[in-house]
Amino acid sequence: MLKTYIFNEPNKSWVEENTSLLYHDLCAILDEERKIIYLWNGPKSSKERLNRGYKLLENLMSNYPHIHFQLSILKKDIPDYVQNKLDLMLKEIKLEDEREHQKFTRFITLRLYFIFLVVSLILPVFSALNLCSSLSWTNIGNNFEVSADLYRNWLYISYILIVISLISFVIITAIGIFEIEHQAIVFSLIGVIICSGIAFYLQQGIFLFLFQEGSTASIYYIKQNDIFIFLIVIITSIMIFEFPNIKKLITFIKAYRKYIF
């Protein structure tokens, strides 16, 4: 049978505790049968606490004068029976962490959030890739040559993709408000604001660029530098909401993967 003791730093003593354990605890696990003392230093504990507790282990071992204990400081390779004991004592704090981490309360909102977040992250990337296709237009000196029809379709496709992303972010914001998930609300609102700005920007159509000499109603000549600046502005804007929402998506999948798939 294992006995467990928690190091009480203020009192500089070891106190027996067999039911619960916290991440900042230093725990001594006594295996009388194998004559081993395992020292477990929690992930939120410190080396200083470990050193102080180690120096006072003699006080603990004095309670077992008939046993000569070996000392083992637990790192990665933890015996299964010791790990089971630790898991049992950490169960309560792990459940509390899980409840704190998992904000969503309904399967439907959880899955809708996941679907619309994926949509709102993928479509702006396709929109940016479509806009970057302008780099393959015909080069005429320092200008790009493009037909009026291709130009309109080029902007329209990206505009539609951004509008769909905007709608998705609006839905995500509503879900975040419903579930009172503050991070989801903030990150999705960033997407709403930026996608609205990009959509308004793309809607300018022929007024986006100053067409160069030689342009007609069917053929446009646009400075290459103007296209480069345009792409930098669009891609930078998309990255502003992509990065935090991608991070949110990763943490969301980690927390709710068993409910999503």
Side-chain angles (χ1 to χ4, degrees):
M1 180 179 176
L2 299 178
K3 289 188 176 181
T4 50
Y5 294 82
I6 306 296
F7 180 57
N8 188 319
E9 196 165 8
N11 295 331
K12 296 182 180 180
S13 62
W14 288 93
V15 180
E16 187 169 4
E17 172 59 62
N18 291 308
T19 57
S20 63
L21 193 61
L22 301 176
Y23 293 133
H24 64 262
D25 283 334
L26 173 62
C27 179
I29 305 170
L30 274 68
D31 185 343
E32 295 183 69
E33 182 180 343
R34 295 176 177 82
K35 299 179 181 180
I36 301 175
I37 294 180
Y38 297 100
L39 266 186
W40 178 83
N41 199 33
K44 293 186 179 180
S45 184
S46 63
K47 286 186 177 180
E48 291 75 15
R49 177 173 293 173
L50 175 62
N51 292 333
R52 286 191 285 270
Y54 177 82
K55 291 176 182 178
L56 293 171
L57 271 178
E58 288 185 3
N59 296 342
L60 177 59
M61 289 186 290
S62 65
N63 297 325
Y64 304 88
H66 58 288
I67 303 176
H68 180 68
F69 286 103
Q70 293 180 349
L71 178 64
S72 176
I73 298 177
L74 297 174
K75 293 182 180 178
K76 291 184 178 180
D77 298 326
I78 302 176
D80 290 340
Y81 72 100
V82 176
Q83 185 64 63
N84 291 338
K85 179 64 174 178
L86 289 171
D87 289 342
L88 184 62
M89 296 181 68
L90 288 167
K91 184 177 180 180
E92 186 177 341
I93 189 67
K94 286 181 177 179
L95 288 173
E96 187 177 328
D97 281 352
E98 189 174 345
R99 286 192 295 268
E100 179 65 24
H101 191 56
Q102 295 183 351
K103 304 285 188 180
F104 285 77
T105 58
R106 292 170 175 80
F107 284 115
I108 183 65
T109 54
L110 188 151
R111 287 167 180 164
L112 284 174
Y113 178 84
F114 174 73
I115 292 169
F116 284 109
L117 183 57
V118 170
V119 168
S120 62
L121 290 175
I122 290 176
L123 294 188
V125 174
F126 285 128
S127 178
L129 290 174
N130 175 68
L131 293 175
C132 286
S133 67
S134 59
L135 299 176
S136 65
W137 292 346
T138 303
N139 291 322
I140 305 294
N142 294 322
N143 300 326
F144 284 119
E145 180 187 84
V146 58
S147 68
D149 289 339
L150 177 58
Y151 179 85
R152 282 192 294 271
N153 290 335
W154 173 67
L155 286 180
Y156 182 72
I157 290 171
S158 289
Y159 172 77
I160 291 298
L161 293 175
I162 289 295
V163 168
I164 296 173
S165 298
L166 171 60
I167 294 170
S168 296
F169 275 124
V170 170
I171 295 172
I172 292 170
T173 303
I175 294 172
I177 293 171
F178 179 78
E179 291 286 3
I180 317 178
E181 222 287 23
H182 298 102
Q183 196 174 73
I185 296 170
V186 172
F187 289 168
S188 57
L189 279 176
I190 294 172
V192 169
I193 294 169
I194 295 177
C195 283
S196 298
I198 294 175
F200 178 77
Y201 190 35
L202 295 178
Q203 207 175 23
Q204 302 307 303
I206 60 174
F207 300 105
L208 269 174
F209 305 101
L210 180 63
F211 296 147
Q212 301 304 297
E213 185 178 350
S215 297
T216 65
S218 59
I219 297 293
Y220 302 148
Y221 293 98
I222 306 170
K223 276 188 178 181
Q224 292 180 2
N225 286 342
D226 289 350
I227 292 290
F228 294 149
I229 293 171
F230 168 76
L231 292 177
I232 289 171
V233 170
I234 294 294
I235 293 172
T236 301
S237 300
I238 290 174
M239 287 170 61
I240 290 173
F241 67 79
E242 282 280 334
F243 285 146
N245 279 287
I246 287 174
K247 182 179 178 181
K248 177 63 180 176
L249 177 62
I250 293 171
T251 57
F252 180 83
I253 292 174
K254 287 180 179 178
Y256 299 102
R257 60 180 176 274
K258 63 182 178 181
Y259 304 114
I260 298 172
F261 307 109

